[in-house]
Amino acid sequence: MMTVAGLLWGAASCAAQTPQLGKHSIDRVIGAMTLEEKVQLVIGTGMAGFSGDSAVVGATQNLVPGAAGTTWPVPRLGIPAIVLADGPAGLRIAPARTDDPATYYCTAFPVGTLLASTWNSELVERVGHAMGNEVLEYGVDVLLGPALNIHRNPLCGRNFEYYSEDPLLSGKTAAAMVRGVQTSGVGTSLKHFAVNNQETNRMANDARLSDRALREIYLKGFEIAVKESQPWTIMSSYNKINGTYAPENRTLLTDILRGEWGFDGIVMTDWFGGRNAPAMVYAGNDLLMPGLPQQYETIVAAVKDGSLAVEELDRNVRRILELIVKTPRFKGYKFSNAPDLAAHAAVTRESAAEGMVLLKNDGGALPLGPGVRNIAAFGITSYDFISGGTGSGDVNEAYTVSLKDGLANAGYGFDTSLAALYQAHINAENERNKPDPDNPLAAFMPRVRAAEIVPDKARMADAVAGSDIALVTIGRTSGEFADRRLEKGDWFLTDTERTLLETVCKAYHAAGKKVVVVLNVGGVIETASWKALPDAILLAWQAGQEGGNSVADVLKGAVNPSGKLPMTFAANYLDIPSSANFPYDHVSEKPVFFPGGEENGTSERNIDYTEYKEDIAVGYRYFDRHPQGISFPFGFGLSYTTFEFSGISVTPGGDGYTVGVTVKNSGPVAGKEVVQLYVAAPGATADAPDKPAKELKAYVKTNLLKPGESQTVELRIAHTDLASWSDAADGWMTDRGNYTALVGSCSQGTLLSAAFEVR
Ligand code: BGC
């Protein structure tokens, strides 16, 4: 008969035989896993009827309510579930929980496009660190961001989440964000890898492009970010690339990402992305999110029938375990659920002000002088500020500071009866436009915003008499699931917005008073037809929850604007080369997550497939040769001071060249400047359009320079940075010959130049 001691010994020896993650080697843990456990680990827990957690688009109730998903725990092997949550502008979790009086608000930081407009890696890193701290303190392990798809076309509905039309600026900004978040002890997920440049039919669209455009434009930013910041994870995109779904693309996920770039983290799918689960495992897409029962079944079947080698599965399992052991949840971190939201509000306020771009400032309209005491704020968005875009890039923040409140906080008086008029109108409109409570997607879609109004003549006369200056705020919002439209109210001003702008400008100018336009937008809008009307234009972007305070800081001059455009503002949409192949006029009959696509027998241009016929001619790479089509150029942004650039030098050494230049603040107030280094390659002549006229190769933001103060900066270019992709050679090639380094504060206008030779 077995004694009690014998029983205990038996149990202990059994436990000793069951390896535990963290205590025993990953090899031993994998060796102890059943096929079923392995397959469960490579797909998330969002499997209705399988794990008990229901597969809601981007929201789980597991562990951290409102997070996007969790991985599968295997308690007998000491493998915990880890938590993944959006997104690029701050952590997205549910702000309230059932039977819990506490709140779980997160900070809405500025959208990605604004952060890229700072051209300030150190600042972006600080934003990332604050964001990462909220991830850590709310019990989340991996933040699903940053997002760095290229602004191929200004009407992509998610451009606000993304950084730039330029891969270098995108890659450097993403690298800074990853470093910042990960220094808080949590992971990131670079997304959406790759060539995810439209929302229309995003789950089945086939992006068709040359290897050169793929390498130079669409992969380059990811390459930079992977090499410079080693993100814990990467999220593959929904779309196909030249016929193969990104998550099923082994060349992309294994040969290029890991083989060429040295990525050692995990790749996860976008939510419900990809079709063929065993193909995804084989491609090196380690984790399938949020996880579906048929994925489980097909992978188990494929291993059993030998069509998927178990080694492929084991490799992905190993990478997921290597990720899990790094996470705070695995390490038993006791999160507080109480991050320092006040400190993070200060970070978002500062970063938002630094990314705002002063597009026009005639007659020194800004900063507001001592004579300006009372302000009349026109435009719905002055009272209902848009802090960010919608969809998974949204954040559940506790508040958003409106422009009106920001101005009041800065000590300005404003026209209160005008404010009352707008508020009453906005309340009535919001009631009328209430989202359909029976539509579960409504929370993800841009809400219908109040229609613009034009105050009547008498009201306008009162406003002019009672204020020293007018602001006219124009707002736009967009988000996941839909692209923007080439329509009034989106790309174009509505008739009412135009009338409002004209009426206000006429009335204020007649009284010798100035008008400032504030653009509260997530992406490019048409500006060429109206930019002559106001005295100043401040591009405030979607500036996060402290937006109104950040705008007021810039208007008042507490912050001297130093943001620069991360994209070209084209005068005419149809001049943008990609607009010939973009669904700007498509009205969708079906929600995007029920994909069409060639598998389903449809083959509609720009919907089921999109041809990237413009190739590498994206943004300034096209407009440099067609400057007449530019409304505001790439890299452009004014300051309240002036800067002089001098003493350019190019010194060869090491693996490339060092370009030096001195920047002097030659104006009246302290300010920062962005030093932009472009390089023109030997073939970059007007009659040899194979090369762009010039390309951004490095940039740096100066310190805050006092009037009269100078700073000498050094920018590095490696030989490899000068290479172009050669489809013929199937590789990167650096041409020999004479290059020109061009340095300045914008892609257009005066640039200092220096020649150098590559032998
Ligand atoms: C989006 C991703 C996001 C995921 C989880 C998807 O719909 O495309 O960017 O991270 O949902 O919410």
Side-chain angles (χ1 to χ4, degrees):
M1 201 178 99
M2 184 86 101
T3 61
V4 171
L7 267 173
L8 287 176
W9 183 87
S13 89
C14 182
Q17 280 161 11
T18 307
Q20 297 293 301
L21 187 64
K23 292 207 183 77
H24 302 99
S25 73
I26 287 184
D27 277 340
R28 273 192 64 189
V29 174
I30 297 176
M33 289 175 89
T34 64
L35 172 62
E36 288 70 20
E37 284 169 338
K38 290 176 185 174
V39 178
Q40 281 169 343
L41 191 68
V42 299
I43 56 182
T45 49
M47 296 185 290
F50 201 87
S51 68
D53 184 26
S54 59
V56 195
V57 179
T60 176
Q61 291 307 311
N62 260 356
L63 299 174
V64 179
T70 50
T71 62
W72 191 277
V74 188
R76 76 175 189 94
L77 299 171
I79 303 173
I82 62 165
V83 182
L84 320 172
D86 290 304
L91 181 65
R92 184 175 68 90
I93 56 171
R97 296 178 187 173
T98 327
D99 300 328
D100 179 353
T103 55
Y104 300 82
Y105 287 113
C106 299
T107 304
F109 292 93
V111 296
T113 301
L114 183 150
L115 291 176
S117 305
T118 67
W119 298 59
N120 183 341
S121 295
E122 181 271 326
L123 180 62
V124 173
E125 213 168 310
R126 272 202 286 132
V127 172
H129 186 72
M131 230 183 244
N133 177 261
E134 293 186 15
V135 175
L136 179 75
E137 292 304 337
Y138 278 129
V140 173
D141 299 287
V142 176
L143 180 72
L144 302 176
L148 65 151
N149 293 97
I150 289 291
H151 291 178
R152 169 180 180 248
N153 189 280
L155 297 185
C156 170
R158 290 183 88 173
N159 275 358
F160 71 93
E161 293 184 53
Y162 306 149
Y163 293 131
S164 170
E165 69 186 22
D166 179 78
L168 180 91
L169 182 56
S170 301
K172 295 273 180 194
T173 309
M177 179 57 82
V178 169
R179 286 194 300 265
V181 173
Q182 293 191 172
T183 53
S184 283
V186 294
T188 52
S189 196
L190 280 189
K191 68 188 188 184
H192 307 89
F193 189 58
V195 208
N196 186 175
N197 304 103
Q198 67 181 61
E199 284 301 279
T200 307
N201 197 28
R202 66 177 185 175
M203 296 186 85
N205 177 264
D206 183 18
R208 297 182 183 167
L209 73 172
S210 70
D211 282 353
R212 182 175 182 199
L214 179 68
R215 291 291 192 150
E216 290 187 19
I217 306 292
Y218 297 99
L219 295 189
K220 195 69 195 174
F222 285 96
E223 180 182 350
I224 292 169
V226 164
K227 289 180 174 169
E228 295 189 2
S229 65
Q230 284 297 341
W232 288 10
T233 85
I234 283 185
M235 186 187 291
S236 54
S237 58
Y238 288 124
N239 51 287
K240 294 179 210 167
I241 301 166
N242 293 327
T244 307
Y245 281 106
E248 298 173 16
N249 195 324
R250 189 169 163 121
T251 309
L252 183 69
L253 303 187
T254 296
D255 301 346
I256 297 177
L257 177 61
R258 301 172 195 280
E260 291 183 26
W261 305 348
F263 175 65
D264 65 1
I266 71 146
V267 176
M268 70 178 84
T269 59
D270 198 345
W271 266 229
F272 303 102
R275 299 242 172 147
N276 180 336
M280 293 193 256
V281 174
Y282 175 75
N285 195 113
D286 307 289
L287 180 62
L288 277 48
M289 290 304 293
L292 292 165
Q294 64 267 37
Q295 293 173 330
Y296 172 83
E297 282 148 23
T298 53
I299 298 170
V300 169
V303 174
K304 283 189 174 161
D305 72 18
S307 56
L308 178 69
V310 74
E311 291 75 23
E312 306 281 353
L313 180 64
D314 285 355
R315 179 204 54 214
N316 296 4
V317 165
R318 168 188 307 284
R319 291 197 288 235
I320 293 172
L321 294 177
E322 284 168 355
L323 168 71
I324 290 173
V325 297
K326 289 199 280 196
T327 59
R329 193 162 296 267
F330 180 80
K331 292 178 178 165
Y333 181 75
K334 301 263 177 298
F335 53 93
S336 64
N337 274 329
D340 188 348
L341 296 178
H344 298 169
V347 175
T348 185
R349 177 172 179 168
E350 178 195 350
S351 60
E354 181 146 343
M356 291 181 185
V357 185
L358 184 62
L359 294 176
K360 177 176 179 180
N361 195 18
D362 282 2
L366 293 175
L368 301 173
V372 174
R373 292 219 164 74
N374 292 307
I375 298 177
F378 297 89
I380 301 292
T381 327
S382 296
Y383 305 90
D384 188 10
F385 195 83
I386 303 167
S387 59
T390 58
S392 62
D394 200 3
V395 177
N396 295 310
E397 69 274 25
Y399 63 86
T400 294
V401 178
S402 72
L403 185 49
K404 181 197 106 183
D405 291 344
L407 293 171
N409 294 343
Y412 293 104
F414 52 89
D415 186 327
T416 46
S417 84
L418 187 66
L421 172 84
Y422 271 101
Q423 203 52 61
H425 170 72
I426 291 169
N427 293 347
E429 286 279 279
N430 286 351
E431 190 57 35
R432 188 170 70 86
N433 295 327
K434 256 199 184 140
D436 174 1
D438 295 330
N439 177 2
L441 265 191
F444 280 89
M445 304 297 283
R447 81 184 154 83
V448 182
R449 297 180 58 78
E452 198 50 83
I453 47 172
V454 183
D456 64 26
K457 259 196 175 153
R459 194 72 277 297
M460 191 63 76
D462 283 355
V464 176
S467 61
D468 306 304
I469 196 165
L471 298 186
V472 180
T473 310
I474 293 166
R476 291 288 182 273
T477 185
S478 75
E480 205 173 333
F481 305 121
D483 288 312
R484 294 175 50 204
R485 307 288 301 277
L486 184 62
E487 280 179 354
K488 291 179 180 174
D490 203 340
W491 173 259
F492 297 107
L493 298 190
T494 61
D495 293 340
T496 316
E497 285 170 335
R498 192 174 292 272
T499 308
L500 174 69
L501 187 57
E502 285 166 358
T503 313
V504 172
C505 288
K506 205 167 158 204
Y508 275 78
H509 289 162
K513 296 178 180 177
K514 296 195 193 295
V515 178
V516 177
V517 166
V518 176
L519 293 177
N520 182 197
V521 299
V524 181
I525 64 166
E526 191 276 332
T527 51
S529 71
W530 58 264
K531 66 183 181 183
L533 294 174
D535 302 278
I537 305 172
L538 179 68
L539 175 55
W541 294 123
Q542 293 167 344
Q545 69 181 46
E546 287 283 326
N549 284 334
S550 306
V551 174
D553 287 342
V554 174
L555 295 180
K556 194 173 183 174
V559 173
N560 185 352
S562 62
K564 303 281 179 173
L565 290 180
M567 81 291 278
T568 308
F569 269 53
N572 295 307
Y573 175 78
L574 294 174
D575 288 349
I576 301 165
S578 63
S579 64
N581 293 283
F582 189 84
Y584 62 81
D585 52 0
H586 178 71
V587 183
S588 183
E589 304 272 297
K590 52 192 183 240
V592 282
F593 45 86
F594 298 121
E598 296 190 304
E599 292 93 334
N600 299 349
T602 57
S603 182
E604 205 181 327
R605 197 178 141 260
N606 298 341
I607 311 298
D608 298 310
Y609 66 92
T610 301
E611 298 193 74
Y612 286 40
K613 286 201 174 149
E614 72 284 354
D615 206 54
I616 63 163
V618 177
Y620 70 85
R621 284 170 171 77
Y622 171 82
F623 282 105
D624 264 357
R625 289 207 172 90
H626 303 87
Q628 68 288 355
I630 300 173
S631 184
F632 296 107
F634 177 81
F636 175 76
L638 300 170
S639 166
Y640 297 152
T641 188
T642 50
F643 295 95
E644 278 168 14
F645 285 57
S646 64
I648 184 172
S649 63
V650 182
T651 317
D655 64 350
Y657 304 85
T658 300
V659 179
V661 72
T662 299
V663 184
K664 181 180 176 190
N665 182 347
S666 52
V669 288
K672 297 180 188 175
E673 179 59 293
V674 177
V675 183
Q676 305 172 27
L677 165 62
Y678 298 86
V679 172
T685 57
D687 49 347
D690 181 46
K691 297 273 185 187
K694 62 179 185 295
E695 291 179 288
L696 184 71
K697 293 297 175 192
Y699 62 88
V700 67
K701 195 147 201 175
T702 67
N703 304 330
L704 183 73
L705 299 176
K706 294 193 205 82
E709 196 184 348
S710 295
Q711 184 183 350
T712 299
V713 299
E714 290 190 338
L715 303 122
R716 277 294 295 170
I717 328 169
H719 285 120
T720 47
D721 296 338
L722 299 171
S724 298
W725 183 264
S726 160
D727 284 355
D730 196 28
W732 291 101
M733 308 275 282
T734 302
D735 290 343
R736 288 192 185 83
N738 292 320
Y739 287 73
T740 312
L742 298 150
V743 178
S745 61
C746 174
S747 68
Q748 300 282 311
T750 318
L751 294 158
L752 294 183
S753 72
F756 64 99
E757 193 187 349
V758 173
R759 299 214 178 93

